[in-house]
């Protein structure tokens, strides 16, 4: 397992973990038991491509711990996917589920591929073959995948269909983030972004920030675009945005409806005529009220943490801030960090609701879904702020402490088998 530490994202997750474990005074034995992923699967499999060739792909699924129930976490289709990155994301999922009180351990999966360069038929072939390889590993009571970078409702539908064909009955509870017609939950697609927007609004009210909030977002996929649309609906002004194609900036405000229409038509943000192009790194350092990283890990680093000019850092992405950057932000004290394991937890919370609805075959209204989501987010934000205030630690350390402590207690109570 030590080899995982050569991956920078896994090393970062472990560094965060050890800092919090020391703060909590967790004994070395407990740390070793809860740090390493409990189960990791690496698969390689062939896919028939449209040009008649056969291409091999490598995929992973990691289940971090099973102490609290089945494991839960997204599937990422991205060329940079590695076992180390997936293991780090699975670990963060564990702390997140425990923090918000869900009966799950953390998991994550992924396939190293470029979905934007594959046809629908190739993507279906890849998804079905990858799912086939995971069959002994996943299931409604074992491990429940969901969408993440590069995957969506259609991919979840193919996963659910492949699993159901294998077991011989329809098993909607094997994945979440499915289309509503086949057992998905109302509100799941927007849940992560709406959760981000809800928390930003709450925190801005607590900090008594004047309106309108000026926002910058990195990443305009599911999480980034829904967060922006929701915040703009609430009166915020979007002044900067980026995706893989480029970054845009207009301090006078970017019309969100025009931007979405442009993205819909061209498939990218680059070239949007109503804002100026800007370097993606520089965009993060522009003055704004709310900065939302909603793309990949390790984008707020020791190189730019000192230069950030936001009041709220709302971490839509998983692991966007490195431990070195965290220390700089802690010293600065002028930026309120909504840590990833709270900020983007709307996705897994509504995934949990979807799983519960599938298990009961009883479906909720959208209102019931969002009321229940906002109750959990509000209560968790309150607990984190209380812990942070009483123990005089950052919101990140507070959030991680609450999550890690619950997992450590569960492991302790269950003991070591046999
Ligand atoms: P997505 O694939 O829908 O969108 C990702 C976006 O990021 C795209 O617009 C892409 O172009 C952009 N991007 C990638 N690299 C970039 C870079 N270097 N600079 C600027 N933009 C870049 O993915 P998503 O589901 O929105 O996930 C985004 C983040 O949110 C990930 O960290 C993911 O783990 C996290 N997250 C997602 C969910 C969910 O429900 N989808 C839930 C919790 C956390």
């Amino acid at each position: 397992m030590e080899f995982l530490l050569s991956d920078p994202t896994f090393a970062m997750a472990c560094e965060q973990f050890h800092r919090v474990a020391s703060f909590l005074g967790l004994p070395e034995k407990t740390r070793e038991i809860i740090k390493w992923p409990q189960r990791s699967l690496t698969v390689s499999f062939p896919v028939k491509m449209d040009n008649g060739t056969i291409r091999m792909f490598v995929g992973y699924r990691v289940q971090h711990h099973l102490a609290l129930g089945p494991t839960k976490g997204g599937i990422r289709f991205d060329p940079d996917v590695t076992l180390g990155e997936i293991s780090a994301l699975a670990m963060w999922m564990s702390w997140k589920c425990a923090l918000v009180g869900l009966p799950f351990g953390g998991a994550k999966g992924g396939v190293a591929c470029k979905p934007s360069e594959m046809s629908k038929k190739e993507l279906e072939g890849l998804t079905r073959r990858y799912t086939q390889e995971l069959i002994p590993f996943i299931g409604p009571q074992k491990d429940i995948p969901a969408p993440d970078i590069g995957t969506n409702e259609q991919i979840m539908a193919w996963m659910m269909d492949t699993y159901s064909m294998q077991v011989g009955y329809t098993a909607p509870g094997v994945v979440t983030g499915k289309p509503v017609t086949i057992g998905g939950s109302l509100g799941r697609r927007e849940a992560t972004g709406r959760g981000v927007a809800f928390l930003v609004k709450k925190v801005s009210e607590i900090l008594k920030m004047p309106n309108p909030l000026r926002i910058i977002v990195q990443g305009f996929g599911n999480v980034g675009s829904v967060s922006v649309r929701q915040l703009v609906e609430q009166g915020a002004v979007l002044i900067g945005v980026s995706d893989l194609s480029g970054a845009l900036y207009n301090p006078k405000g970017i019309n969100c409806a025009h931007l979405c229409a442009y993205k819909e038509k061209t498939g990218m943000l680059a070239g949007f005529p109503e804002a100026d192009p800007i370097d993606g790194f520089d965009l993060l350092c522009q003055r704004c009220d709310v900065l939302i990283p909603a793309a990949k890990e390790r984008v707020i680093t020791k190189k730019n943490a000192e230069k950030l000019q936001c009041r709220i850092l709302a971490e839509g992405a998983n692991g966007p801030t490195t431990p070195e950057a965290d220390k700089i932000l802690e010293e600065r004290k002028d930026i309120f960090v909504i840590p990833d394991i709270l900020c983007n937890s709307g996705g897994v919370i509504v995934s949990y609701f979807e799983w519960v609805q599938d298990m009961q075959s009883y479906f909720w209204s959208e209102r019931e879904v969002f009321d229940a989501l906002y109750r959990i987010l509000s209560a968790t934000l309150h607990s984190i702020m209380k812990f942070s205030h009483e123990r005089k630690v950052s919101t990140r350390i507070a959030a991680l402490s609450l999550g890690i402590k619950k997992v450590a207690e569960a492991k302790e109570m269950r003991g070591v088998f046999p």
Side-chain angles (χ1 to χ4, degrees):
M1 281 291 160
E2 297 287 334
F3 73 94
L4 286 174
L5 289 166
S6 62
D7 181 279
T9 309
F10 189 75
M12 167 181 155
C14 287
E15 191 178 336
Q16 270 182 349
F17 168 74
H18 281 296
R19 190 170 171 210
V20 174
S22 299
F23 170 73
L24 293 173
L26 289 187
E28 194 56 41
K29 175 189 68 116
T30 314
R31 292 185 196 202
E32 283 301 298
I33 291 174
I34 66 174
K35 180 172 82 177
W36 300 107
Q38 189 164 338
R39 297 174 178 166
S40 310
L41 180 71
T42 301
V43 295
S44 65
F45 54 90
V47 176
K48 284 183 195 143
M49 307 304 280
D50 291 347
N51 63 8
T53 59
I54 289 184
R55 226 181 108 188
M56 291 301 290
F57 289 88
V58 175
Y60 310 95
R61 184 75 185 167
V62 173
Q63 300 169 354
H64 178 244
H65 81 88
L66 292 104
L68 285 163
T71 46
K72 184 93 197 73
I75 301 281
R76 182 172 281 198
F77 285 180
D78 185 83
D80 300 332
V81 157
T82 62
L83 182 60
E85 180 193 60
I86 295 296
S87 304
L89 289 160
M91 193 195 289
W92 287 325
M93 278 304 290
S94 288
W95 315 147
K96 188 188 304 183
C97 291
L99 170 70
V100 296
L102 308 183
F104 296 132
K108 205 79 181 185
V111 178
C113 64
K114 265 195 178 172
S116 58
E117 292 176 5
M118 295 173 73
S119 70
K120 190 171 175 188
K121 190 163 158 257
E122 289 169 339
L123 263 182
E124 179 173 356
L126 178 141
T127 304
R128 288 188 181 278
R129 187 58 202 259
Y130 168 62
T131 309
Q132 175 68 44
E133 298 296 334
L134 298 190
I135 296 281
F137 218 53
I138 58 172
Q141 301 295 352
K142 284 189 192 169
D143 179 20
I144 307 125
D148 192 74
I149 291 181
T151 56
N152 54 26
E153 288 185 354
Q154 175 62 80
I155 305 275
M156 293 306 116
W158 289 328
M159 289 192 80
M160 178 251 195
D161 185 69
T162 305
Y163 181 85
S164 299
M165 287 297 144
Q166 292 297 320
V167 294
Y169 55 88
T170 297
V174 66
V175 291
T176 57
K178 304 175 287 295
V180 171
T181 39
I182 55 168
S185 175
L186 291 170
R188 171 59 186 91
R189 192 188 307 150
E190 305 83 25
T192 312
R194 282 188 60 167
V196 172
F198 174 83
L199 289 163
V200 165
K201 185 156 184 288
K202 274 257 161 211
V203 170
S204 72
E205 285 166 3
I206 292 167
L207 299 177
K208 299 191 173 39
M209 290 167 67
N211 284 313
L213 298 175
R214 292 153 58 82
I215 56 178
I216 292 179
V217 60
Q218 180 196 44
F220 205 64
N222 176 305
V223 179
S225 69
V226 175
S227 307
V228 166
R229 272 202 296 263
Q230 193 68 19
L231 282 163
V232 166
E233 243 173 59
Q234 292 166 7
V237 178
L238 175 68
I239 59 168
V241 60
S242 67
D243 72 358
L244 265 177
S245 70
L248 302 165
Y249 179 62
N250 182 348
K252 293 193 185 118
I254 297 172
N255 184 305
C256 193
H258 293 179
L259 184 76
C260 291
Y262 180 84
K263 168 94 198 269
E264 181 77 26
K265 197 165 133 208
T266 63
M268 56 176 154
L269 298 182
F272 180 65
E274 297 172 30
D276 294 325
I278 183 172
D279 177 75
F281 180 85
D282 293 343
L283 178 69
L284 301 177
C285 305
Q286 298 305 308
R287 182 176 297 283
C288 62
D289 296 307
V290 184
L291 176 63
I292 308 177
K296 300 282 289 278
E297 308 85 56
R298 296 187 299 117
V299 293
I300 311 289
T301 64
K302 63 179 180 203
K303 287 197 187 129
N304 59 7
E306 197 60 72
K307 297 183 188 144
L308 298 189
Q309 298 190 70
C310 57
R311 178 71 183 97
I312 298 175
L313 177 63
E315 296 183 334
N318 284 305
T321 308
T322 65
E324 293 101 329
D326 259 336
K327 287 192 183 134
I328 295 170
L329 297 179
E330 281 166 26
E331 274 161 29
R332 283 184 57 164
K333 294 194 169 63
D334 57 341
I335 296 180
F336 187 106
V337 178
I338 310 179
D340 52 359
I341 62 169
L342 169 67
C343 195
N344 66 36
S345 64
V348 73
I349 295 171
V350 176
S351 273
Y352 166 60
F353 299 158
E354 180 172 330
W355 179 74
V356 167
Q357 292 171 74
D358 289 336
M359 303 311 265
Q360 299 183 336
S361 298
Y362 178 75
F363 290 88
W364 307 0
S365 69
E366 188 174 292
R367 174 111 196 243
E368 285 171 305
V369 168
F370 283 111
D371 282 355
L373 169 65
Y374 296 153
R375 264 200 308 276
I376 295 179
L377 292 179
S378 244
T380 313
L381 173 66
H382 180 75
S383 310
I384 292 172
M385 290 185 68
K386 188 165 177 280
F387 190 103
S388 159
H389 180 72
E390 286 175 0
R391 306 289 295 271
K392 301 196 176 8
V393 290
S394 67
T395 48
R396 165 130 27 243
I397 301 287
L400 285 169
S401 296
L402 291 166
I404 290 172
K405 207 158 146 294
K406 269 195 202 163
V407 176
E409 279 166 9
K411 286 269 184 191
E412 186 66 34
M413 290 306 290
R414 288 188 58 165
V416 175
F417 175 84

